[in-house]
Amino acid sequence: MKKILLDCDPGIDDALALALAAGSADALEVAGITTVGGNVDLSLTTANALALREFLEFGDVPVTPGSAGALLRHTVRATHVHGATGLGAVVLPAPERGPSEGHAVDFIVETLRAAPGEITLVAVGPLTNIALAVRREPRVVEWARDLVIMGGSYTRGNHNPAAEFNMLADPEAAAIVFEAGWTVKMMGLDVTLTAMVTSDVLDRMWPLGRLAELLVPAAQSYGVVTAESGPAIHDACAVAYVLDPSLFTCVPAVVNVETAGLYTRGMTVTDFKVGDRRANALVATSLDVKRFWDLVLGAYERLAARLG
Ligand code: BDR
Ligand code: CA
């Protein structure tokens, strides 16, 4: 059984990543969900995480709110993509239970301290909480089994031509995380943009009962679904990597996050010519899309059977 701690900013694709984790309960235990301001404000990402915890029947998994904004920068949001609530057209029942006491950064440090080598950090929002955890207790780098992120790219941006959203939203935090001493598993836009909900995929979501009430409006409000293309469910790639790294081709690289550029702030400058330097990242360069959807839809189908 693999264990993860998921740091997220739900976020439509964060919700679909959480659904993948919930549907993979036979192989994956979620030790906690932490939230960060990102796609929408922290109050909304936390409210969405709480609603998703109950809708997806995560039971007692703690939801702990973290950082509201970037370490240094003005706030950047993605409401133009995720809608005012952060979940697009999805409407979930109001949660009955509130968040855990305390702060996500403490939760991350203490959870990893208690189980060194066991828990993989999966970060699918701006890296503010992870950077603060590293600053507060540098040994989290040793204690984490692994760090898998959705973020960055070696070819392009999405929020602007240079930068992917999670990197742009807190470039200093991203720089701290990439420089911390671990080997970041980077699921960037280069692969996540191939994880598209096409009409064939959507056709397999419609019959999924209650779960379809999340999946279908999520996909439809996240982008235009056609036979050849559709919205990319970026964040689910990070959870999929934990479940089955063989879905991805990954190449060692030295990644530096641009924090000073006038037009390139948040760019993940990726050098595959590592030479005698230490590779600080393993960068995903391709995804087996068919096997990815077999994994994801299989998990959704199992979850749907549970949820009714
Ligand atoms: C990333 O940015 C956010 O809008 C998504 O939730 C995803 O984590 C994609 O660039
Ligand atoms: Ca996200």
Side-chain angles (χ1 to χ4, degrees), residues 283-306:
V283 175
T285 57
S286 72
L287 169 66
D288 185 329
V289 175
K290 186 192 170 302
R291 286 179 55 225
F292 169 82
W293 280 116
D294 286 346
L295 177 95
V296 174
L297 290 168
Y300 289 169
E301 282 159 9
R302 286 193 300 278
L303 178 60
R306 266 194 350 247

Side-chain angles (χ1 to χ4, degrees), residues 9 11-14 39 78 81-82 124-125 150 158 164-166 189 192 222 234-235:
D9 62 334
I12 297 172
D13 56 328
D14 305 71
N39 288 317
V81 180
H82 295 266
V124 296
M150 186 284 132
N158 60 353
E164 182 279 326
F165 175 78
N166 290 335
L189 294 173
T192 66
Y222 203 31
H234 308 280
D235 292 346

